[in-house]
Amino acid sequence: MSSNSKQPNLEEPLRLGVIGLGRGFMLTLPTFNADDRIQLVAACAPRESSRAAFEQEFGGRTYQNVEDICADPDVEAVYIATPHQMHVDHVEIAAKAGKHVLVEKPLAIHFEDGVKMVEVCEKAGVQLIVGPSHSFDGAVMLAHQIIQSGDIGAVRMIHAMNYTDFLYRPRRPEELVTAEGGGVIFSQAVHQLDIVRLLGGGMMNTITAATGNWDPARPTEGAYSALATFEGGAFASLTYSGYAHFDSDVWQGWVGELGYPKDPENYGQARKALAKVSNPEEESALKSGRTYGETPARPPAPNHEHFGPIIVSCDGGDLRITPNGVWLHGHFEQKYIPAPLEMGPRAGVNSALIKAVRFNAPPSQTGRWGLATLEACHAILQSAEAAAPVKLLHQIQTQKTNIGGNS
């Protein structure tokens, strides 16, 4: 089943409907605005102010109910940017209406829900892509292409780390409850695992991990460290802290995660803002103030997005991923390979969606890929609780085709 009864005009923009006009949409909006290949034609959101702002800015139709936007015949695909726990219901509604789906990470919170989402999309014959994820970042895709070329041999080891202020940004109450998808595992580890799985070939074998839950006022995982092994013998270390102390962007040229320059003089900003909040209602309101219709969209970032320092060790050298390209440290020389930035940091996600919908050429980050990454997220929690390795059973390989570029 397809979302249109007639063949699409490949020269026309992809007509996209947005379900959820919150913080996730705000982060992707600058790239939508800069990309003529995407046309925002409809939106669904509970907040009247957000719907009114969308109508005024884009002239599109707005809806309160997901069923109604998915019944809109002008919508080719939907971008689901609602809270994690809503993904399963919204994907099912979209798929049964014949709409292709781009769903925010993580695919779901519960593995069984992820399986349901994948199966309903496959049954409906619609594409399911999980993103934006940092595995779509321009420099990550460039490193993936270098690895795929075979010029530097097999991947042997990956080291990925990131230190941020994630846990002290404004949160709704459920975002501090692990069982409801709160904490750093389902929101942050999913990025790091996606990157490492992409570069390492996809087929993770085991995960051994420990997690940190150190602030009683933010009672969820704020840190983790994991060792992952791959089929074929490669291994990866993944470390993350969201406790708002050390900032690893110092090693990324003070380029922030979203690609914007960062002022190191603003140290402690997240904790300072949170200290002014006296109750969960005030904190939720502070987060709502960052949603569409409440705050203006930023212009596209001047750099690619990134997820902290990453080094990939291969037989022929090490790849060091930076916000704007990749350093190749070989046997006898080193060189920098830039990653061109064209229509904005997340244009690679737009490209993947267009190729999947218009040409039936999905990227690596399909629903089943997202399911494998979700399995790895749960494995971190399971390993930390059991103090033992966890065997992964639902992994899939990285696609061997070229996934990169903004074209």
Side-chain angles (χ1 to χ4, degrees), residues 24-38:
F25 172 67
M26 284 296 295
L27 297 181
T28 307
L29 181 57
T31 297
F32 285 151
N33 285 337
D35 195 337
D36 292 337
R37 301 170 304 163
I38 299 287

Side-chain angles (χ1 to χ4, degrees), residues 118-142:
V118 168
E119 290 180 346
V120 73
C121 288
E122 290 179 348
K123 182 177 180 180
V126 298
Q127 300 285 353
L128 175 60
I129 297 173
V130 183
S133 158
H134 280 293
S135 63
F136 284 102
D137 291 350
V140 172
M141 291 195 290
L142 174 59

Side-chain angles (χ1 to χ4, degrees), residues 269-325:
Q269 189 173 37
R271 282 180 177 266
K272 290 174 184 176
L274 192 62
K276 299 176 183 178
V277 172
S278 59
N279 56 59
E281 291 74 22
E282 287 186 9
E283 185 172 350
S284 293
L286 187 61
K287 176 157 187 172
S288 294
R290 304 164 75 199
T291 60
Y292 184 71
E294 301 296 328
T295 185
R298 301 171 77 178
N303 308 283
H304 284 292
E305 296 186 356
H306 71 86
F307 202 71
I310 301 170
I311 301 174
V312 186
S313 297
C314 303
D315 286 332
D318 292 344
L319 301 175
R320 180 166 60 89
I321 298 174
T322 77
N324 293 304

Side-chain angles (χ1 to χ4, degrees), residues 101-104 127-131 136 349 352-353 356 362-363 365-367:
V101 178
L102 171 67
V103 61
E104 276 276 353
Q127 300 285 353
L128 175 60
I129 297 173
V130 183
F136 284 102
V349 182
L353 181 62
Q365 297 92 334
T366 61

Side-chain angles (χ1 to χ4, degrees), residues 228-246:
T229 63
F230 286 85
E231 289 186 6
F235 56 92
S237 65
L238 305 90
T239 295
Y240 185 93
S241 172
Y243 279 103
H245 292 135
F246 175 64

Side-chain angles (χ1 to χ4, degrees), residues 1-286:
M1 182 177 181
S2 66
S3 58
N4 294 289
S5 58
K6 61 182 181 179
Q7 285 293 108
N9 184 341
L10 301 181
E11 300 300 318
E12 293 181 352
L14 181 72
R15 300 186 304 277
L16 187 65
V18 181
I19 300 175
L21 295 175
R23 183 62 178 166
F25 172 67
M26 284 296 295
L27 297 181
T28 307
L29 181 57
T31 297
F32 285 151
N33 285 337
D35 195 337
D36 292 337
R37 301 170 304 163
I38 299 287
Q39 181 183 3
L40 299 180
V41 298
C44 177
R47 292 167 60 92
E48 183 178 355
S49 60
S50 295
R51 297 197 304 272
F54 186 91
E55 290 174 3
Q56 181 176 2
E57 181 170 0
F58 300 104
R61 294 168 297 283
T62 60
Y63 304 92
Q64 287 182 272
N65 298 317
V66 175
E67 290 85 355
D68 293 336
I69 190 174
C70 291
D72 188 330
D74 198 38
V75 173
E76 288 184 82
V78 293
Y79 167 40
I80 297 176
T82 50
H84 307 334
Q85 64 271 21
M86 298 180 180
H87 288 179
V88 59
D89 291 336
H90 293 168
V91 167
E92 183 175 16
I93 293 168
K96 289 182 176 179
K99 305 301 182 185
H100 303 287
V101 178
L102 171 67
V103 61
E104 276 276 353
K105 56 77 193 169
L107 177 67
I109 300 169
H110 302 294
F111 189 80
E112 297 77 11
D113 287 342
V115 172
K116 181 179 181 180
M117 294 160 69
V118 168
E119 290 180 346
V120 73
C121 288
E122 290 179 348
K123 182 177 180 180
V126 298
Q127 300 285 353
L128 175 60
I129 297 173
V130 183
S133 158
H134 280 293
S135 63
F136 284 102
D137 291 350
V140 172
M141 291 195 290
L142 174 59
H144 175 45
Q145 292 164 19
I146 293 170
I147 292 166
Q148 284 190 326
S149 74
D151 292 344
I152 59 171
V155 173
R156 301 299 184 183
M157 178 176 71
I158 303 173
H159 179 61
M161 64 180 299
N162 205 8
Y163 284 70
T164 78
D165 60 5
F166 176 83
L167 202 62
Y168 295 88
R169 299 168 194 166
R171 298 288 165 211
R172 297 185 303 272
E174 71 270 18
E175 293 180 295
L176 298 174
V177 180
T178 303
E180 297 185 38
V184 301
I185 303 301
F186 295 105
S187 287
Q188 301 296 284
V190 64
H191 281 302
Q192 209 169 45
L193 288 163
D194 231 38
I195 295 168
V196 168
R197 289 188 58 244
L198 183 77
L199 300 178
M203 297 298 293
M204 276 189 177
N205 188 24
T206 64
I207 285 181
T208 306
T211 59
N213 186 338
W214 305 320
D215 184 348
R218 316 291 276 182
T220 185
E221 289 79 18
Y224 62 83
S225 192
L227 178 66
T229 63
F230 286 85
E231 289 186 6
F235 56 92
S237 65
L238 305 90
T239 295
Y240 185 93
S241 172
Y243 279 103
H245 292 135
F246 175 64
D247 186 346
S248 55
D249 287 341
V250 66
W251 293 331
Q252 298 290 77
W254 286 117
V255 172
E257 177 183 345
L258 300 179
Y260 296 96
K262 202 169 188 178
D263 185 354
E265 295 301 315
N266 288 332
Y267 180 83
Q269 189 173 37
R271 282 180 177 266
K272 290 174 184 176
L274 192 62
K276 299 176 183 178
V277 172
S278 59
N279 56 59
E281 291 74 22
E282 287 186 9
E283 185 172 350
S284 293
L286 187 61

